[in-house]
Amino acid sequence: MLTDLSPLIAATARWLTAAYPPCGGALAHALCEVQARQAVTVAAWLRYPTAIDAGLVTLAGPGGAARLDWITGAEPAEDHPAEDWAWRTWVDEVVASWAAALLADGGLAALAVAALGEGEHSGAPVEFRRLLSPDDGDHRAAALLRHPDLLAPVAGLHHAQLLDRLAPGRSLAA
């Protein structure tokens, strides 16, 4: 069984940076993408804390971006050739929602990163500096991606579920 969440993480981060594009040139794009990827990684590891959870989502598929596109007013995928939108089938709505909440709220992001120590993904040391301590350049590059009002429709979708997951004493096993 495959337990690699990288396709889900890549697609969900790509969706976030397409829905909330960077402000500026190539450097801004890279900084925005890193912030999105770090938030999505934390959210995915919280959502799928065990190898079994990761294997099941890899087997069943995460669900796609259709509802997220509708909420944000994005262009329908049907208007484009399949190779232009097939990656969107790997977008995970819950992970995107949780990542949006983490990007909008630094305190919540810190709680989420701290909670990762309880899951199976805590083996390798990973730094989430751009998520937890963004500098001025990070904020400028990802002004839309970190704007709480703009993120609210997506972040609010599964916010209660994220808070439940982060509640003290809550086991991360699904």
Side-chain angles (χ1 to χ4, degrees):
M1 183 181 301
L2 294 174
T3 59
D4 182 16
L5 291 172
S6 60
L8 182 148
I9 291 169
T12 306
R14 182 176 175 184
W15 183 87
L16 278 169
T17 57
Y20 304 97
C23 302
L27 178 59
H29 182 80
L31 290 173
C32 187
E33 185 177 324
V34 167
Q35 292 174 70
R37 189 170 290 262
Q38 287 184 4
V40 169
T41 299
V42 171
W45 288 359
L46 285 173
R47 174 88 168 133
Y48 306 108
T50 68
I52 291 174
D53 295 321
L56 289 173
V57 74
T58 302
L59 183 65
R67 183 171 177 214
L68 293 169
D69 289 342
W70 179 78
I71 288 169
T72 59
E75 222 176 300
E78 301 87 44
D79 296 344
H80 302 287
E83 59 270 8
D84 291 347
W85 60 264
W87 63 270
R88 297 166 92 74
T89 62
W90 278 97
V91 173
D92 187 300
E93 178 184 306
V94 174
V95 170
S97 176
W98 289 9
L102 300 179
L103 287 161
D105 183 343
L108 192 60
L111 283 174
V113 170
L116 290 178
E118 300 171 25
E120 291 181 11
H121 301 288
S122 61
V126 179
E127 183 180 312
F128 295 102
R129 187 193 71 72
R130 297 224 184 259
L131 173 63
L132 298 175
S133 304
D135 61 22
D136 289 340
D138 293 322
H139 279 292
R140 279 191 304 276
L144 300 177
L145 184 66
R146 286 190 168 270
H147 195 288
D149 294 335
L150 297 176
L151 289 170
V154 173
L157 287 174
H158 302 281
H159 193 261
Q161 193 178 9
L162 174 61
L163 294 178
D164 182 53
R165 179 67 68 155
L166 296 176
R170 169 88 160 92
S171 172
L172 290 183

